[in-house]
Amino acid sequence: MKLWGGRFEKSTDGMVDDFHSSITFDQRLYRQDIAGSIAHATMLGEQGIIPQADADCIVEGLKALLADIEAGKVAFALDAEDIHMNVETLLIQRIGQAGKRLHTGRSRNDQVALDCRMYVKDVSLEAVDLLSALMTALLNTAEQHTRTIMPGYTHMQKAQPITLGHHLCAYVEMFRRDIGRFQAAHRAADAMPLGSGALAGTTYPLNRARVQELLGFTSLTRNSLDGVSDRDFVLDYLYACSVTMMHLSRFCEELILWNTHEFQFVEMDDGYSTGSSIMPQKKNPDMAELVRGKTGRVYGDLTALFTTMKGLPLAYNKDMQEDKEALFDARDTLVKCLSVFTGMFKTLRFKAENMKKGASGGFTNATDAADYLVKKGLPFREAHEVLGRMVLSCIKEDRALLDLSLEEMRAFCPLFAPDVYDALSLETCVNLRGVPGGPAPAMVAETIADNRAFLSAL
Ligand code: ARG
């Protein structure tokens, strides 16, 4: 018989258990569920709401059950619906009468809210750990490449020279903000909902603060209706996952491009590439493509839960059970993608020669040439115009700016002097961009240090 079977005259239709049971996926919450029940029973005993001997028996029984689940000795039952009723049923089977007192002053509605909050707290910290491992890998590589010149792009057109270190540090900033988003999701989840009951609290003299303390929550939820129907913290986590995936996806897109024969800025390690079943020469960046591809799936998880929640009246509705598969799928996808990406990144081989060559073509120093004339007294607009004409003429003759003789340069503007050659070298172009946040090696070294300090303070 179901735990709630008293009011029913007929058992559920054959299709129903399969349709509404969540045990196939929410069993992964067993640890949170048992920890929550241990805290609840402890408090019930302390408050004299149930006999202390029963509370002790429940706590012991739950600990033994946890050990058996971890040891793979427990089979969950589909007709016990979800992890909450499976745990309760198993407990009653094991300890008898005392187990029937566990659910006093509690509903599955506040119980599932509690389990989900504990889970989101755990996986938010897990994401912070994975992101900081990735940031460390990026910082280590960036540190070795604060002077490795490469072309920076806008509109996928060569724009100005930067360094590989500077480029990698752009991603460091993105992942640092992602850490902030996971910390925010953790904060949102960090309120203890037990005591909300089904929706209207309970008449038992529960000590909510004690349960909060036992489970390590920072605060209590403040409204019992909201306590059981709030899933904002799941959305916050899914949003943080989505933004992180978007960042990984952009990075993958660049690595895929850099790994092409046309670019040859990087070579992916064999360990992170795959071959073709027909074309013997192929070595494909499948891992990067899959991370990019899985981004859509995580957006889907976020959109799915947003859509589930948008029409729900207060308080709990069974629709909300749909939160879990989205949450678990996003978490699993994120963890796999961050782990694989970090491994792939650490084994990349950067081809500094080709990057430098890439930065040398395409007039990436044209802005600096204009700035040179400005420093000699010409207004910027006029300098821009002079350089435009010089670039046009070079394109027609298939030459670079630095291929022009001083004589030829002076024909465009008499302010050019012998120091122009030094001023327009790619190294000078980069080194002079010393504004905070700029690509000058000293500046990049500073942001690397700042990010390392951020990580060690986590
Ligand atoms: N399995 C349910 C869920 O995940 C637990 C809460 C069920 N509550 C209820 N009154 N049916 O949402």
Side-chain angles (χ1 to χ4, degrees):
M1 181 163 118
K2 308 268 193 209
L3 284 179
W4 40 251
R7 180 237 181 273
F8 287 76
E9 294 180 335
K10 244 171 93 176
S11 57
T12 41
D13 185 88
M15 287 189 293
V16 164
D17 280 346
D18 178 54
F19 182 66
H20 86 144
S21 289
S22 50
I23 187 62
T24 50
F25 50 87
D26 68 14
Q27 57 182 271
R28 79 158 80 186
L29 295 173
Y30 72 85
R31 242 183 255 122
Q32 289 81 2
D33 198 72
I34 290 176
S37 288
I38 288 177
H40 181 65
T42 303
M43 179 276 294
L44 290 178
E46 287 171 1
Q47 295 293 100
I49 298 170
I50 64 172
Q52 188 59 50
D54 285 353
D56 294 343
C57 194
I58 291 171
V59 170
E60 284 320 302
L62 287 170
K63 284 184 181 162
L65 178 60
L66 176 63
D68 286 350
I69 296 174
E70 309 252 77
K73 291 192 204 150
V74 173
F76 294 115
L78 195 66
D79 67 351
E81 219 175 294
D82 54 27
I83 186 61
H84 325 295
M85 292 202 297
N86 265 275
V87 166
E88 196 180 334
T89 307
L90 288 160
L91 181 73
I92 293 168
Q93 277 167 13
R94 288 161 170 237
I95 68 167
Q97 218 45 23
K100 296 187 182 169
R101 298 196 194 278
L102 168 61
H103 210 50
T104 311
R106 190 177 67 172
S107 158
R108 269 187 299 153
N109 298 351
D110 55 0
Q111 190 178 355
V112 71
L114 175 73
D115 293 4
C116 287
R117 283 175 177 274
M118 290 169 75
Y119 182 83
V120 167
K121 284 176 69 178
D122 287 349
V123 294
S124 296
L125 295 181
E126 168 190 56
V128 169
D129 283 349
L130 289 168
L131 281 163
S132 55
L134 173 55
M135 280 178 69
T136 302
L138 290 171
L139 291 169
N140 291 342
T141 306
E143 201 152 55
Q144 291 161 21
H145 292 286
T146 56
R147 291 174 191 278
T148 305
I149 306 279
M150 65 173 281
Y153 296 84
T154 65
H155 312 271
M156 277 300 286
Q157 305 282 320
K158 284 178 196 183
Q160 291 171 344
I162 54 169
T163 66
L164 176 57
H166 191 230
H167 194 108
L168 294 178
C169 279
Y171 285 100
V172 166
E173 295 301 323
M174 297 179 221
F175 295 128
R176 178 170 169 163
R177 292 195 295 275
D178 291 337
I179 285 181
R181 273 179 280 272
F182 282 108
Q183 289 171 330
H186 184 276
R187 271 196 301 282
D190 199 11
M192 208 292 295
L194 283 194
S196 302
L199 76 161
T202 174
T203 55
Y204 296 100
L206 300 187
N207 184 348
R208 296 190 66 206
R210 175 71 173 134
V211 177
Q212 173 197 332
E213 176 197 313
L214 286 170
L215 294 175
F217 277 87
T218 306
S219 64
L220 291 174
T221 55
R222 283 187 298 271
N223 177 289
S224 63
L225 289 169
D226 186 50
V228 291
S229 58
D230 170 23
R231 292 294 181 273
D232 295 359
F233 59 96
V234 181
L235 290 167
D236 288 346
Y237 175 77
L238 293 176
Y239 170 65
C241 291
S242 298
V243 180
T244 303
M245 288 300 300
M246 180 266 286
H247 291 151
L248 286 176
S249 184
R250 293 181 73 175
F251 207 162
C252 284
E253 172 67 15
E254 293 205 309
L255 293 178
I256 291 164
L257 205 61
W258 291 0
N259 191 55
T260 58
H261 185 74
E262 288 75 6
F263 267 80
Q264 298 187 51
F265 283 5
V266 294
E267 183 172 344
M268 292 208 184
D269 192 68
D270 281 7
Y272 287 89
S273 310
T274 48
S276 155
S277 58
I278 174 168
M279 296 168 282
Q281 84 284 10
K282 292 276 265 179
K283 182 172 150 187
N284 295 326
D286 286 26
M287 303 314 123
E289 291 169 47
L290 260 182
V291 171
R292 190 176 59 185
K294 285 177 187 293
T295 303
R297 167 187 186 124
V298 174
Y299 292 178
D301 292 326
L302 173 65
T303 310
L305 185 58
F306 262 132
T307 313
T308 297
M309 296 305 294
K310 76 181 258 299
L312 296 188
L314 296 180
Y316 178 84
N317 299 270
K318 183 86 166 194
D319 316 43
M320 288 162 68
Q321 179 168 287
E322 291 290 310
D323 62 355
K324 275 173 262 341
E325 281 162 295
L327 171 59
F328 298 155
D329 181 70
R331 179 267 168 191
D332 293 349
T333 307
L334 179 85
V335 167
K336 277 188 214 161
C337 288
L338 276 171
S339 308
V340 167
F341 185 92
T342 303
M344 179 178 78
F345 177 80
K346 282 181 170 171
T347 54
L348 279 178
R349 205 161 59 76
F350 290 96
K351 299 184 171 177
E353 289 285 283
N354 294 342
M355 290 186 169
K356 173 111 195 240
K357 223 184 289 160
S360 314
F363 305 97
T364 57
N365 53 0
T367 315
D368 295 82
D371 290 343
Y372 171 90
L373 293 177
V374 169
K375 283 171 200 154
K376 301 270 176 190
L378 205 62
F380 180 76
R381 244 335 122 216
E382 279 179 39
H384 188 288
E385 153 83 27
V386 169
L387 260 298
R389 281 190 281 110
M390 286 173 73
V391 166
L392 185 62
S393 129
C394 284
I395 290 172
K396 285 183 180 155
E397 294 169 16
D398 196 18
R399 298 165 80 188
L401 285 177
L402 285 178
D403 293 341
L404 299 182
S405 68
L406 191 56
E407 207 88 321
E408 290 172 306
M409 289 197 197
R410 283 203 168 124
F412 287 99
C413 176
L415 290 172
F416 282 114
D419 62 349
V420 66
Y421 293 100
D422 207 36
L424 296 194
S425 82
L426 295 175
E427 283 75 12
T428 314
C429 294
V430 164
N431 291 343
L432 288 185
R433 292 186 145 69
V435 287
M443 271 304 139
V444 173
E446 259 182 48
T447 61
I448 290 173
D450 182 81
N451 278 294
R452 287 209 195 276
F454 166 80
L455 288 176
S456 52
L458 275 178

